[in-house]
Amino acid sequence: MNRTQRTLVVAGYGMAAHRLVEELRSLDPAGAWRIVVLAEERHPAYDRVALSSYLDGRSAADLTLAAPGFLDDPLLDLRLSTPVASVDRAARSVVTASGEVVGYDALVLATGSRPFVPPVPGHDLPGCHVYRCLDDLDAIREAAVPGRPGVVIGGGLLGLEAANALRLLGMEPHVVELAPRLMPVQVDAAGGGVLGRRVGEQGLRVHCGTATAAVEAGPDGRAAAVALADGTSLEAAVVVFSAGVRPRDELAGPAGLATGGRGGFLVDGLCRTGDERIWAIGECAAVEGCCHGLAAPGYRMASSVARQLLDLPAEPFGEADLSTRLKLLGVEVASFGDAQASSEGAVELSRLDEAAGTYAKLVLAADCHTLLGGILVGDARAYGEIRPFVGRGLPAAGHRLLAPAT
C-alpha cells in the first residue's frame, strides 16, 4: 500500500465522471490516488448520447463505458445506488443517502443534471415520464401502447430522441415545441423547416410555436391528452417531458459553495470551486458561470481535473466546443461554430434544396473569407471536412457545398 495514498471521492458517475476516473487511473500508475465513486444510478456509467438505442435492441451492458476489467481495479471503489446527500467541508467528508460517511482528500462533484418539467397542470399524472436515464426508458417501455399516440413536450435534441424512442416502441409520436422550429438552439429557421418536413415524412407530427397548457387525465386517472395553448388537444397514451435540463447543484447551498446565475456549482476555468479541495465537472459545473450540456466539454473538464490532481500541467477550459453532428429519425443534422451568425458583421451563405430535402449554411466573418460556423440538415457528409476550418479561410469543400446542384 502506498503510505501517502490520498482518497478522491467522486459524487456521481455519468460520462464526465467516468472520463475523470479513466484519465486519473491512466496517468497514475504509482497509485497515488484511491478513488471512491458514489453513483446515484444502479448502472455503471453508460453512453447517454446513445440512449435511444436501448429501445432498439441494445442492452445496458452494450452501452456501458467501462472497458472489460476496468471496474475490477483495486484502486477503484464504485458504489452504485449510493448518492451523496451532503458535504461537510470542515471535516472533509461526504454523507451518503444511507448515512455513510466517506472522507476525502479531494472531492469532484459530477452530479449531472435533472430534466426540467414545466409546472403545467397534470404534469405529475401517472403516464407522464421524463427522458434522461435507463430507468426512465424502462418506465416508458412498460407504459408504451403500440398503435396509440404519444406526446413529447420539447423539440430539441433530447425531445427528438424521445420521439424516436416512442416510434421504436410502435407508438405514433407528436412533438410540441414552444419555439417556432425544431432544435432552435442548433438550427435556424430554414434549417428547422427542412428538419420538420423530413421528420414528418418519418411519421412524426410536429407542433411548433405553441405552449403546453395542461396534461389531462382520463377516466382511470392516467394522462390521456395534452391541451395546447392554441386550443388543440392531442390524445396521448404516454407523455414524455424533454424540455431541457437543470444542473444538479442542491449540494451547494448547505455546503456553502457558490452557484452560477442559472445554477450549477460555480467554478473557475480549471473547474475549481471556492474550496481548494473541491472541483466540479460536467453538466453540474458552471464554468465561469456557464453550464455546458454536451459530452465534449465535460470530457475536457474531466481531463483537466485529472491532471491537476497529479500536479501535471492543465489548460484552462476556455471556450466550449458546442459542435454537434447526429442523426435524428434518419435525418442528419450538424451545427458548429457561430451557427446562428451572432458575430458582428457576420455574413450568411446558404443553399436550400427542397427536392433533395437538404439545407446548408456557412457563416463567414465580415471579411467574407474567415469561416465562423455553419449548419447542415439532411446531408452532413461535409461536416468533417469543413468544421476544422472554423477561424480560418473557407475551404474548397465549403465552396462545393454552396454550389448550385447540377
Side-chain angles (χ1 to χ4, degrees):
M1 175 69 71
N2 184 340
R3 293 184 180 180
T4 61
Q5 189 176 70
R6 293 171 290 175
T7 297
L8 168 67
V9 169
V10 182
Y13 193 42
M15 296 176 72
H18 177 74
R19 177 60 64 91
L20 168 71
V21 174
E22 198 174 49
E23 293 264 344
L24 185 57
R25 289 302 303 121
S26 173
L27 295 170
D28 183 25
W33 286 96
R34 167 180 172 263
I35 307 170
V36 180
V37 179
L38 303 175
E40 182 173 31
E41 293 190 56
R42 61 188 178 92
H43 300 283
Y46 53 88
D47 185 357
R48 204 180 297 274
V49 176
L51 197 58
S52 64
S53 67
Y54 181 62
L55 297 179
D56 197 23
R58 299 184 74 187
S59 67
D62 293 332
L63 293 176
T64 188
L65 294 175
F70 181 81
L71 299 180
D72 299 324
D73 189 325
L75 292 181
L76 172 60
D77 180 3
L78 171 61
R79 307 180 193 181
L80 300 174
S81 303
T82 309
V84 172
S86 63
V87 177
D88 186 336
R89 292 169 54 194
R92 295 207 303 269
S93 65
V94 299
V95 181
T96 69
S98 63
E100 182 183 4
V101 178
V102 183
Y104 65 80
D105 293 290
L107 170 64
V108 175
L109 301 166
T111 48
S113 61
R114 64 181 181 277
F116 170 67
V117 178
V120 297
H123 70 273
D124 53 355
L125 287 172
C128 290
H129 302 268
V130 293
Y131 187 90
R132 185 64 184 161
C133 66
L134 290 174
D135 286 346
D136 294 334
L137 267 64
D138 284 334
I140 293 170
R141 190 202 310 267
E142 184 176 350
V145 183
R148 294 285 306 283
V151 174
V152 176
I153 311 300
L157 285 173
L158 281 179
L160 292 181
E161 288 280 358
N164 189 47
L166 294 184
R167 188 174 70 98
L168 292 171
L169 292 170
M171 299 193 71
E172 299 174 357
H174 294 253
V175 169
V176 178
E177 169 55 47
L178 180 61
R181 62 183 182 276
L182 297 174
M183 292 181 62
V185 174
Q186 289 80 19
V187 304
D188 59 9
V194 172
L195 178 60
R197 289 190 291 275
R198 291 289 298 270
V199 298
E201 294 168 0
Q202 301 298 318
L204 184 66
R205 298 168 190 176
V206 179
H207 309 265
C208 289
T210 186
T212 300
V215 179
E216 300 172 340
D220 60 357
R222 296 180 60 82
V226 172
L228 304 184
D230 64 5
T232 303
S233 180
L234 305 175
E235 184 183 355
V238 171
V239 177
V240 180
F241 287 97
S242 189
V245 296
R246 298 293 184 269
R248 292 282 304 274
D249 60 4
E250 55 266 34
L251 296 174
L257 295 172
T259 56
R262 296 188 176 183
F265 301 103
L266 183 63
V267 296
D268 63 13
L270 291 172
C271 299
R272 301 174 299 194
T273 69
D275 186 316
E276 64 179 2
R277 294 179 180 268
I278 303 177
W279 288 258
I281 62 173
E283 294 176 311
C284 71
V287 184
E288 307 287 3
C290 184
C291 293
H292 303 285
L294 297 176
Y299 286 164
R300 284 176 54 197
M301 297 179 210
S303 296
S304 174
V305 172
R307 296 184 66 84
Q308 292 173 59
L309 290 168
L310 294 169
D311 296 321
L312 297 173
E315 292 186 3
F317 183 75
E319 291 189 11
D321 181 3
L322 303 181
S323 301
T324 56
R325 181 185 180 180
L326 61 158
K327 182 176 284 190
L328 297 162
L329 293 99
V331 183
E332 289 188 335
V333 179
S335 175
F336 57 95
D338 182 13
Q340 302 287 2
S342 58
S343 301
E344 185 177 355
V347 177
E348 300 175 72
L349 305 175
S350 64
R351 181 169 65 84
L352 172 65
D353 188 332
E354 294 276 11
T358 61
Y359 173 73
K361 181 178 85 170
L362 297 179
V363 180
L364 304 181
D367 62 8
C368 295
H369 173 72
T370 305
L371 178 64
L372 298 181
I375 295 170
L376 303 172
V377 179
D379 184 351
R381 288 176 295 178
Y383 173 81
E385 291 183 78
I386 296 174
R387 178 178 166 271
F389 285 85
V390 171
R392 301 158 58 189
L394 183 65
H399 292 285
R400 293 196 301 271
L401 186 69
L402 296 175
T406 57

